[in-house]
């Protein structure tokens, strides 16, 4: 599919100029022209290509996620037509119809038979593995019972009396040093078009994101540059439906991430239980790319109290 031609045709059907499209999507005109010409190499990166395609499609009433999947190389399934071959047979029409009907019934039931056999094979494998685990002896044996000697009883009593003051002092120092963690704070810093800058402090490590769709479905993508995805790709992406909240655990130590929202007016999300107000000025609806800087809470080490001499 020609992505640029499809987007351009949709824009022209709505009698929308490229300048009007620039005002709606808050995307530079040269990038919109590059998308219509399928010149994706002139973009700053694949992340922005996907974001610009979604913004363009949303403005002209198309499905941006479908176009992004086509851009990523996920081809649409081809329609498979059953070719009917006609042969001249020395048989009656009734017999030919019966043979074709039985063949069609067999072909229709074939997928169900195959899936049933696969499910039966999986069940047999699971049962066999479970049975093997029950038959094997445990690797970790229970510890042997301790032998208490009479000579050790006096030494244990003296050691307990000498350790009593030390344990009390240790407990007091631990209780005094264990202080509750300061609450997480999520702040709105600035925005420019669809780009929003936010920051969070006193975040638990690892942090957790909670996404909830309010009145309609919303596509969510969490982009984190890691060695696993070669600094190019989404750590998490999914279309979240209303009433089906999702929780995503961010890799420990992550200090920067980009949260992309399709229909941002339908989405609410929290970081460590704190709601993120990413549109406090009500600047509009549609896609949002939220740059989030994360600062983790400092854990205090318990101070060791000196024992009296």
């Amino acid at each position: 599919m020609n992505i640029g031609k499809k987007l351009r045709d949709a824009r022209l059907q709505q009698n929308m100029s490229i300048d009007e499209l620039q005002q709606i999507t808050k995307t530079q005109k040269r990038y919109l022209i590059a998308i219509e010409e399928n010149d994706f190499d002139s973009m700053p990166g694949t992340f922005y290509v996907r974001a610009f395609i979604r913004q363009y499609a949303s403005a002209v009433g198309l499905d941006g996620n479908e176009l992004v999947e086509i851009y990523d190389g996920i081809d649409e399934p081809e329609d498979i037509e059953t070719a009917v071959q006609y042969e001249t047979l020395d048989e009656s029409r009734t017999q030919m119809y019966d043979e074709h009907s039985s063949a069609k019934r067999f072909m229709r039931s074939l997928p169900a038979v195959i899936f049933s056999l696969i499910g039966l094979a999986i069940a047999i494998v699971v049962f066999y593995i479970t049975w093997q685990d029950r038959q094997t002896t445990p690797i970790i044996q229970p510890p042997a019972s301790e032998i208490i000697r009479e000579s050790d009883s006096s030494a244990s009593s003296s050691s307990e009396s000498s350790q009593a003051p030390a344990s009390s002092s240790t407990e007091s120092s631990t209780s005094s040093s264990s202080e509750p963690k300061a609450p997480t704070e999520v702040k709105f810093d600035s925005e420019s078009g669809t780009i929003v800058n936010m920051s969070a402090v006193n975040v638990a490590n690892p942090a957790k994101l909670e996404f909830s769709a309010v009145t309609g479905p919303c596509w969510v993508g969490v982009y984190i540059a890691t060695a696993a995805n070669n600094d190019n790709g989404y750590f998490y992406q999914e279309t979240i439906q209303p009433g089906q909240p999702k929780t995503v655990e961010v890799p420990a130590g992550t200090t920067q991430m980009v949260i992309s929202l399709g229909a941002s007016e339908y989405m609410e999300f929290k970081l460590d239980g704190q709601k993120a107000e990413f549109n406090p000025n009500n600047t509009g609806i549609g896609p949002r790319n939220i740059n989030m800087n994360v600062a983790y809470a400092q854990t205090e080490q318990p101070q060791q109290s000196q024992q009296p001499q």
Side-chain angles (χ1 to χ4, degrees):
M1 181 184 293
N2 190 327
I3 298 175
K5 183 178 183 300
K6 186 171 184 179
L7 291 172
R8 183 175 181 274
D9 292 343
R11 176 177 64 81
L12 294 177
Q13 288 179 1
Q14 297 186 10
N15 295 325
M16 184 185 300
S17 66
I18 199 73
D19 293 328
E20 292 175 344
L21 183 63
Q22 180 182 5
Q23 294 296 325
I24 295 174
T25 61
K26 306 299 182 181
T27 303
Q28 295 184 15
K29 182 177 179 180
R30 60 191 181 96
Y31 291 143
L32 298 175
I33 296 174
I35 290 176
E36 291 185 349
E37 295 176 354
N38 293 317
D39 185 14
F40 302 122
D41 293 335
S42 63
M43 302 289 182
T46 57
F47 169 76
Y48 289 97
V49 173
R50 296 186 184 95
F52 292 158
I53 290 176
R54 288 192 184 93
Q55 294 171 2
Y56 195 127
S58 177
V60 297
L62 297 179
D63 187 356
N65 293 330
E66 179 182 0
L67 296 178
V68 170
E69 290 179 355
I70 296 173
Y71 169 76
D72 290 338
I74 303 176
D75 297 330
E76 298 180 354
E78 299 178 357
D79 294 332
I80 301 175
E81 299 181 355
T82 305
V84 181
Q85 298 179 357
Y86 298 91
E87 298 178 359
T88 304
L89 301 176
D90 297 330
E91 298 177 353
S92 64
R93 294 183 178 179
T94 303
Q95 184 177 0
M96 293 174 61
Y97 176 80
D98 292 339
E99 291 179 357
H100 282 293
S101 299
S102 60
K104 289 181 179 179
R105 287 195 297 270
F106 175 76
M107 293 302 295
R108 290 175 181 174
S109 61
L110 184 60
V113 174
I114 293 175
F115 282 115
S116 300
L117 293 176
I118 293 174
L120 180 60
I122 293 175
I124 293 174
V125 171
V126 172
F127 174 80
Y128 178 77
I129 293 175
T130 305
W131 180 78
Q132 288 289 338
D133 291 339
R134 292 181 178 179
Q135 295 297 322
T136 56
T137 57
I139 298 175
I140 301 176
Q141 299 295 334
S145 59
E146 297 180 356
I147 300 175
I148 302 176
R149 299 180 182 178
E150 296 179 357
S151 58
D152 297 338
S153 60
S154 60
S156 61
S157 61
S158 61
S159 62
E160 289 176 357
S161 61
S162 61
Q163 291 177 358
S167 61
S168 61
S169 61
T170 304
E171 291 176 357
S172 62
S173 62
T174 304
S175 61
S176 62
S177 61
S178 58
E179 298 179 356
K181 182 182 79 68
T184 302
E185 296 183 9
V186 182
K187 299 184 296 183
F188 173 88
D189 295 333
S190 62
E191 64 180 346
S192 176
T194 60
I195 306 299
V196 179
N197 298 314
M198 301 188 70
S199 60
V201 296
N202 297 326
V203 180
N205 194 6
K208 289 185 179 180
L209 291 168
E210 303 174 26
F211 296 100
S212 300
V214 183
T215 58
C218 177
W219 179 87
V220 175
V222 180
Y223 177 84
I224 301 174
T226 61
N229 59 19
N230 295 324
D231 297 338
N232 182 15
Y234 286 104
F235 168 76
Y236 167 82
Q237 59 175 332
E238 184 176 358
T239 299
I240 299 177
Q241 302 294 333
Q244 298 179 3
K246 299 293 183 180
T247 301
V248 180
E249 183 172 299
V250 179
T254 300
T255 57
Q256 291 182 341
M257 55 184 166
V258 179
I259 302 172
S260 297
L261 305 177
S264 62
E265 64 272 18
Y266 297 151
M267 176 54 57
E268 291 182 355
F269 77 92
K270 298 179 180 179
L271 177 62
D272 277 356
Q274 298 299 319
K275 185 177 180 181
E277 297 289 351
F278 57 86
N279 189 16
N281 301 323
N282 294 323
T283 54
I285 62 177
R288 289 288 189 280
N289 292 319
I290 304 170
N291 299 321
M292 180 71 71
N293 294 321
V294 179
Y296 295 99
Q298 299 294 329
T299 57
E300 297 184 359
Q301 299 294 333
Q303 299 178 357
Q304 296 181 354
S305 61
Q306 297 181 356
Q307 299 180 4
Q309 299 294 333

